[in-house]
Amino acid sequence: MKKDIFVAIIDSGCSFDTYKKVAIKEDNFELKVVNQNSINLGHGNEIGKIISTCDNAKIYDIQIFENRLNISALYLYKAFEYLLDKKVDVINLSLGILTNYKEIEDICYELIKRGVTIISSFPKSGQNFVYPASYKDVICVTSDGRCKGFDISYLDDNLELFGCNPFSSKKNVTGSSVAVAKFTKIFCEYLSDGFSKEQILLKIKLQGI
């Protein structure tokens, strides 16, 4: 019997119903976890739609940006902090930051230590390090135009770097963001079937294009 997989999407929010739905907002110079008010960007919605095609995915929809694709390390940290005491199996990060903050690194490793798999975006070109993708034991995914549908390629042993198809049904939502979501969908389906993280990665490496 397939089991439910709890997956957190940290992004711009999903317009459809999810298992949990919160936003990180500033109130009196303090970041708080509050209810979402509006979904103004299609990015998170498209990412969520891809992942939700895994029938057993229960989604924590965490909105950390609302009006522009501008990622704040503080908001990202608060989202991680929110998840620390939640039942979560996978975190999908169709995003990344260029600066390595020790606080972000530490909380990522704390989540991993608690059994959470973090899947994060790595750009196709232009950067040697992007976080959290560049942290050890974080699965990083980038665009690979050779992949069709939900194909997965294995690109780099040192980084644990995989590739997926970068195109979605929304023209302005493409690239490694979409690739991460497609990888997460396949990963969650394997988890739902009872495979461990290590078994899944081995299967993907052996079967990848």
Side-chain angles (χ1 to χ4, degrees), residues 84 104-116:
L84 274 177
I104 296 285
E105 183 177 12
D106 288 346
I107 202 166
C108 282
Y109 286 138
E110 180 59 33
L111 285 159
I112 291 168
K113 190 169 74 174
R114 297 183 186 199
V116 180

Side-chain angles (χ1 to χ4, degrees), residues 126-161:
Q127 300 294 334
N128 292 323
F129 296 97
V130 174
Y131 305 95
S134 295
Y135 295 143
K136 186 177 183 299
D137 296 323
V138 171
I139 299 171
C140 48
V141 184
T142 194
S143 306
D144 190 342
R146 299 173 302 160
C147 297
K148 308 298 180 187
F150 286 88
D151 290 345
I152 299 175
S153 59
Y154 185 45
L155 301 174
D156 192 313
D157 279 319
N158 295 322
L159 272 179
E160 199 78 295
L161 177 64

